[in-house]
């Protein structure tokens, strides 16, 4: 019997789980893997408690069981990244055959479990050797990335139908180079602008390198768009919000979809007009057609003009209403705006995948052995309803990947933040599906939502 709040997604809609190599694999240096910027950042004490990716969720060894778990939870696709320094320890052309062999086995396991691989080529583990040559401030890193992408796709292209060039260049550029929260830990707004361009360029250079090595795979890029509202109608607040929107969204969508940088960002980031940074031909290259757009959604903020904040004069705040355990706004409904934005503001008509959506909560295992993460279930229920509204307004949404399968290394917050739908007891590496995992299993199997969402599924999965 269907009820008012029930809804269905189109046939063929993809339900997937998303992951990233550094966050779950562990064993970074096993079998000849190289060091990356996050190893160094953690060693320098820049992460909470000095947490690092040395062991993480031990997915390096446990991937067969983790894939079986994902299959049993009803997912039909699995988003993962290949660790760049595992495949090419210095980020150059030297291949680490053991790294290729490892990911051969991983892809075979995914396919045996009926999980379609969606592979991200850059999810933040830049080889340290490249960082020592300037990292994303050095244009050469974009060329190295394209070489890497070509070599990887030449080898694995027969088994991967979806390639994502870079994940969330905004985070790499601005959290890593302006706010100092992510590796490499710089605090220089102008450097972040240069990094943003070189990351856009890395995407642009990688697209033809991927296409040259595969016949029918689809190529896309993932951006984490942000819902940004002005605090008031006062012109200063409106302008501050426009600047933050330009930084977070415009710097990435406009070059990709229109082949230009937002003119209103030039006063804040003069590098956008510096022809030693943005060279002739770069924007044509960045705007070459892709097959799909990947969107991640987490951030919804209210922005107020604040003269004391350098350069952008913009203070970002959580919106009124419920907050997560780290004080950010809990606004799953914002996914609708995120999905509408590329079409409405940039004329984008591409198929879209939500390549990440999720939220962190202070999960724990109850004495009965369950993880009752009802807040996460509600979050997903509202987010999926927001996605449905966007589709009804014409967005060509093809699938949703939840962030993330397993609790993992959450970058600067280390292991204190749990985003997984499966709880990981790090001491024993035991996996305990949270209630949200059972709920999501039903969503995936039904290809839709039922009302009310507070389902508590069976404690064991098949
Ligand atoms: O954990 C990250 C992921 O690596 C990229 N997107 C945001 C997630 C949550 O912060």
């Amino acid at each position: 019997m269907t009820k008012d709040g029930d809804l269905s997604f189109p046939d063929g809609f993809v339900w997937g789980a998303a992951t990233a190599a550094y966050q779950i694999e562990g064993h970074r240096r096993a079998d000849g893997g190289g060091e990356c910027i996050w190893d160094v950042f953690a060693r320098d004490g820049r992460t909470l408690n000095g947490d690092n990716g040395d062991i993480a969720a031990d997915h390096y060894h446990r991937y067969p069981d983790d894939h079986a778990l994902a299959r049993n939870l009803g997912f039909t696709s699995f988003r993962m990244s290949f660790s760049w320094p595992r495949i090419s320890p210095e980020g150059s052309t030297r291949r680490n055959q053991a790294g290729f062999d490892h990911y051969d086995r991983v892809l075979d396991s995914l396919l045996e479990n009926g999980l379609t691989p969606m592979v991200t080529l850059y999810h933040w583990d830049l080889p340290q050797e490249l960082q020592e040559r300037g990292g994303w401030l050095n244009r050469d890193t974009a060329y190295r990335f394209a070489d890497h992408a070509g070599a990887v796709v030449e080898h694995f292209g027969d088994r991967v139908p979806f390639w994502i060039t870079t994940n969330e260049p905004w985070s790499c550029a601005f959290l890593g180079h302006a706010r100092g929260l992510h590796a490499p830990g710089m605090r220089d707004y102008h450097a972040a602008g240069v990094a943003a361009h070189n990351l856009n360029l890395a995407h642009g250079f990688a697209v033809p390198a991927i296409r040259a090595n595969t016949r029918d795979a689809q190529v896309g890029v993932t951006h984490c768009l942000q819902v940004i509202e002005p605090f008031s109608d006062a012109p200063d607040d409106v302008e501050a919000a426009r600047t933050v929107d330009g930084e977070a969204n415009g710097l990435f969508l406009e070059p990709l979809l229109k082949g230009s940088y937002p003119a209103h960002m030039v006063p804040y980031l003069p590098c956008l007009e510096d022809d030693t940074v943005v060279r002739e031909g770069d924007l044509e290259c960045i705007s070459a057609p892709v097959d799909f757009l990947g969107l991640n959604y987490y951030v919804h903020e209210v922005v107020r003009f604040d003269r004391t904040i350098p350069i952008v004069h913009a203070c970002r705040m959580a919106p009124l209403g419920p907050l997560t355990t780290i004080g950010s706004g809990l606004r799953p409904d914002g996914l609708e705006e995120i999905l509408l934005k590329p079409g409405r503001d940039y004329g984008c008509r591409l198929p879209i995948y939500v390549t990440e959506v999720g939220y962190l909560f202070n999960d724990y295992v109850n004495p009965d052995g369950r993880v009752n993460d009802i807040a996460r279930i509600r979050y997903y229920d509202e987010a999926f309803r927001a996605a449905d509204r966007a589709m009804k307004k014409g967005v060509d949404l093809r699938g949703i990947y939840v962030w993330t399968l397993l609790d993992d290394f959450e970058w600067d917050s280390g292991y204190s933040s749990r985003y997984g739908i499966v709880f990981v007891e790090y001491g024993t590496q035991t996996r305990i599906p949270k209630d949200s995992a059972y709920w999501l299993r039903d969503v995936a199997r039904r290809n839709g939502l039922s009302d009310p969402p507070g389902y508590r599924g069976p404690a064991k999965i098949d």
Side-chain angles (χ1 to χ4, degrees):
M1 193 179 73
T2 56
K3 297 183 289 307
D4 281 353
D6 291 0
L7 65 87
S8 300
F9 286 83
D11 287 347
F13 195 80
V14 176
W15 294 98
T19 62
Y22 193 86
Q23 294 179 271
I24 55 171
E25 285 181 350
H27 312 283
R28 311 288 312 157
R29 311 303 295 275
D31 303 326
E35 193 166 57
C36 81
I37 54 175
W38 277 93
D39 296 314
V40 174
F41 193 68
R43 199 163 59 228
D44 288 348
R46 305 287 298 271
T47 59
L48 190 67
N49 304 317
D51 288 348
N52 59 43
D54 287 1
I55 298 175
D58 190 26
H59 183 73
Y60 187 70
H61 295 117
R62 293 167 195 261
Y63 67 85
D65 290 346
D66 292 338
H67 293 165
L69 181 58
R71 178 198 65 215
N72 288 334
L73 289 174
F75 297 114
T76 55
S77 182
F78 193 84
R79 179 176 173 228
M80 59 175 290
S81 70
F82 287 165
S83 161
W84 186 350
R86 212 185 269 298
I87 281 180
S88 172
E90 294 87 26
S92 58
T93 44
R94 185 171 80 80
R95 288 163 67 102
N96 177 31
Q97 189 54 43
F100 280 88
D101 295 346
H102 173 72
Y103 288 120
D104 272 334
R105 292 188 291 271
V106 170
L107 286 179
D108 290 346
S109 161
L110 282 177
L111 295 171
E112 278 159 22
N113 281 288
L115 296 164
T116 303
M118 175 180 266
V119 175
T120 312
L121 287 160
Y122 185 65
H123 201 128
W124 306 358
D125 48 357
L126 184 72
Q128 179 60 20
E129 287 251 342
L130 292 185
Q131 183 59 38
E132 279 157 25
R133 285 187 255 145
W136 289 112
L137 301 184
N138 182 353
R139 184 181 172 91
D140 187 59
T141 300
Y143 292 106
R144 298 286 71 79
F145 177 66
D147 291 346
H148 167 69
V152 166
V153 177
E154 182 184 21
H155 184 87
F156 298 106
D158 55 333
R159 282 156 292 166
V160 179
F162 296 99
W163 291 100
I164 291 173
T165 53
T166 51
N167 180 68
E168 298 186 12
W170 174 83
S171 306
C172 308
F174 286 88
L175 299 181
H177 297 79
R179 295 200 202 167
L181 293 173
H182 280 196
M186 288 178 67
R187 293 207 176 97
D188 176 342
Y189 197 76
H190 298 295
V194 175
H197 177 66
N198 287 335
L199 279 149
N200 283 334
L201 206 52
H203 159 78
F205 289 160
V207 170
I210 296 171
R211 293 210 194 282
N213 285 289
T214 174
R215 251 180 307 139
D216 13 71
Q218 298 194 31
V219 186
V221 56
T222 280
H223 290 297
C224 59
L225 300 190
Q226 306 181 19
V227 180
I228 302 296
E229 289 176 42
F231 175 73
S232 78
D233 294 342
D236 280 348
D237 287 342
V238 172
E239 180 56 23
R242 187 164 170 255
T243 306
V244 172
D245 176 64
E247 173 204 300
N249 303 315
L251 272 188
F252 302 95
L253 287 185
E254 189 171 316
L256 177 75
L257 298 168
K258 293 179 127 178
S260 53
Y261 276 116
H264 71 99
M265 291 306 293
V266 173
Y268 308 100
L269 292 169
C271 67
L272 300 177
E273 271 194 348
D274 178 344
D275 58 14
T276 64
V277 176
V278 183
R279 298 194 192 161
E280 207 181 326
D282 282 2
L283 286 158
E284 287 72 28
C285 169
I286 296 168
S287 58
V290 288
D291 303 309
F292 67 93
L293 183 61
L295 297 181
N296 295 353
Y297 173 56
Y298 298 94
V299 180
H300 183 139
E301 284 178 350
V302 175
V303 173
R304 181 177 201 168
F305 174 76
D306 185 337
R307 194 181 305 284
T308 66
I309 293 182
I311 306 176
V312 290
H313 304 314
C315 173
R316 290 168 154 242
M317 302 172 292
L320 286 181
L323 301 179
T324 67
T325 44
I326 56 159
S328 41
L330 195 52
R331 295 293 292 270
D333 53 324
L335 185 59
E336 179 180 352
E337 162 64 14
I338 290 302
L339 290 169
L340 293 171
K341 190 174 180 68
R344 186 194 59 217
D345 296 357
Y346 301 93
C348 174
R349 295 287 168 264
L350 289 168
I352 293 179
Y353 289 88
V354 172
T355 39
E356 291 178 26
V357 59
Y359 239 117
L360 76 170
F361 294 96
N362 282 345
D363 301 311
Y364 52 86
V365 184
N366 280 339
D368 68 358
R370 302 279 296 274
V371 181
N372 304 131
D373 58 339
I374 185 71
R376 186 174 282 105
I377 292 176
R378 291 207 185 103
Y379 185 87
Y380 276 128
D381 183 77
E382 284 187 41
F384 298 166
R385 289 177 193 280
D388 176 66
R389 288 195 295 279
M391 290 167 83
K392 291 193 168 111
K393 291 180 184 169
V395 173
D396 183 7
L397 180 65
R398 303 282 177 95
I400 296 180
Y401 291 73
V402 297
W403 185 263
T404 177
L405 181 70
L406 305 170
D407 288 336
D408 64 5
F409 173 78
E410 180 46 36
W411 308 113
D412 50 315
S413 333
Y415 295 98
S416 68
S417 294
R418 291 183 179 270
Y419 271 94
I421 57 164
V422 174
F423 189 92
V424 176
E425 268 180 5
Y426 292 111
T428 59
Q429 293 293 349
T430 306
R431 273 65 166 146
I432 304 171
K434 304 177 189 178
D435 282 3
S436 58
Y438 300 121
W439 179 82
L440 283 160
R441 175 189 60 182
D442 289 352
V443 171
R445 287 186 179 165
R446 185 189 294 129
N447 195 25
L449 299 173
S450 74
D451 196 36
Y455 172 72
R456 287 173 50 110
K460 293 229 177 312
I461 54 166
D462 340 311

